[in-house]
Amino acid sequence: MKILLLEDNKKLNSTIKKRLELKGYKISSFIDGQEALDNITEGFSCFILDINVPNIDGITILKKIRTYYSDVPIIIISATVELDMIKDAYDLGCSEYLKKPFFIDELEIKIEKLCQIKDEKIIFDENCFFDYKSSTISIDNELIRLTKKERLLMNLFLTKKNQVITYNAIENYVWEGSFASIDSIRSLVRRLRKNLKKEYIETVVDTGYIFTCI
């Protein structure tokens, strides 16, 4: 899973990054708000934002993220005790708030809860699973490597198993904020279906898709 971390305290930034990488997460870390903002459309599954950072504050970035992703988890970490600012964060779509100082274990627990991460391997049935760590699908002991867009689509489906994923949600997440035609999305889904070999992906007419598995 790919996570964006924005924290201007270099020591804390490094500590969080190292701990989360030990869990197998891919971390893109920033200490500058503008640099983080420039990278928010890079297909992240979770955002961790400090509020008071150089150039552009975390609340502004939170608001911008929500124009691209309506439901990707966003965790605010901050030393602020200003209730109005905390309320604004939640009103704009903050998923969780952690007040500094905090234990890194607390942050790990919130990430796992918000992203519904139970295992590195997601089992579809007894002969098929997706490995988050290597971004590969195993079917009847055959290992299938996915392209970047196939991998992002697979990640999106698995964070929303058995739920309707709209064309718009796929466009925002997989194409990272760039335009994608319905034909392009359908073509990508066809390729992923071919790799999966079984009918896990159900079409919802004029809306999007549902990924059905255990």
Side-chain angles (χ1 to χ4, degrees):
M1 183 178 71
K2 191 174 177 183
I3 297 174
L4 183 147
L5 168 65
L6 173 62
E7 168 55 64
D8 67 333
N9 182 306
K10 293 182 179 178
K11 184 176 180 179
L12 179 57
N13 186 306
S14 178
T15 299
I16 293 173
K17 184 175 186 291
K18 288 176 181 177
R19 281 288 300 272
L20 295 182
E21 285 177 339
L22 287 174
K23 298 282 289 186
Y25 305 143
K26 296 177 182 178
I27 310 300
S28 294
S29 64
F30 302 91
I31 59 174
D32 180 272
Q34 181 64 61
E35 290 181 4
L37 180 62
D38 291 342
N39 286 273
I40 62 173
T41 59
E42 292 299 311
F44 293 100
S45 300
C46 182
F47 295 87
I48 303 168
L49 307 175
D50 189 8
I51 293 178
N52 297 310
V53 293
N55 293 318
I56 297 180
D57 65 90
I59 297 297
T60 300
I61 296 171
L62 163 64
K63 186 176 180 180
K64 187 65 175 179
I65 290 169
R66 283 296 177 235
T67 67
Y68 288 106
Y69 310 113
S70 61
D71 53 7
V72 172
I74 302 174
I75 301 171
I76 294 293
I77 55 173
S78 179
T80 185
V81 292
E82 297 179 30
L83 293 180
D84 286 345
M85 186 173 290
I86 296 171
K87 183 178 181 299
D88 285 346
Y90 277 109
D91 288 345
L92 289 169
C94 164
S95 308
E96 282 281 6
Y97 176 87
L98 266 179
K99 185 182 180 302
K100 298 178 184 176
F102 56 83
F103 293 107
I104 306 299
D105 288 348
E106 294 180 76
L107 179 59
E108 289 181 4
I109 290 169
K110 289 187 182 299
I111 292 171
E112 290 173 2
K113 177 184 175 183
L114 290 169
C115 298
Q116 299 179 337
I117 299 166
K118 297 179 181 178
D119 300 291
E120 289 181 349
K121 294 181 180 178
I122 302 297
I123 307 297
F124 304 157
D125 59 41
E126 60 182 10
N127 297 314
C128 181
F129 65 83
F130 177 73
D131 189 332
Y132 270 110
K133 193 169 184 179
S134 63
S135 294
T136 56
I137 294 173
S138 177
I139 300 176
D140 296 329
N141 295 319
E142 177 188 354
L143 200 62
I144 300 168
R145 298 198 176 278
L146 303 179
T147 66
K148 179 182 177 181
K149 282 186 168 57
E150 289 169 351
R151 183 174 70 249
L152 288 173
L153 180 58
M154 193 78 254
N155 287 342
L156 180 60
F157 278 145
L158 291 176
T159 57
K160 299 293 180 182
K161 289 185 294 183
N162 305 310
Q163 299 179 45
V164 175
I165 307 295
T166 64
Y167 293 124
N168 187 57
I170 294 172
E171 177 184 2
N172 287 337
Y173 186 80
V174 177
W175 272 263
E176 304 170 341
S178 299
F179 170 77
S181 67
I182 296 297
D183 285 343
S184 296
I185 293 172
R186 287 171 175 165
S187 177
L188 177 62
V189 171
R190 282 197 299 272
R191 295 200 304 272
L192 187 57
R193 276 177 167 152
K194 185 177 180 180
N195 280 326
L196 291 170
K197 298 181 180 179
K198 295 184 180 180
E199 289 298 320
Y200 296 105
I201 303 172
E202 176 186 341
T203 299
V204 181
V205 178
D206 297 328
T207 302
Y209 302 93
I210 297 176
F211 190 89
T212 57
C213 68
I214 300 172

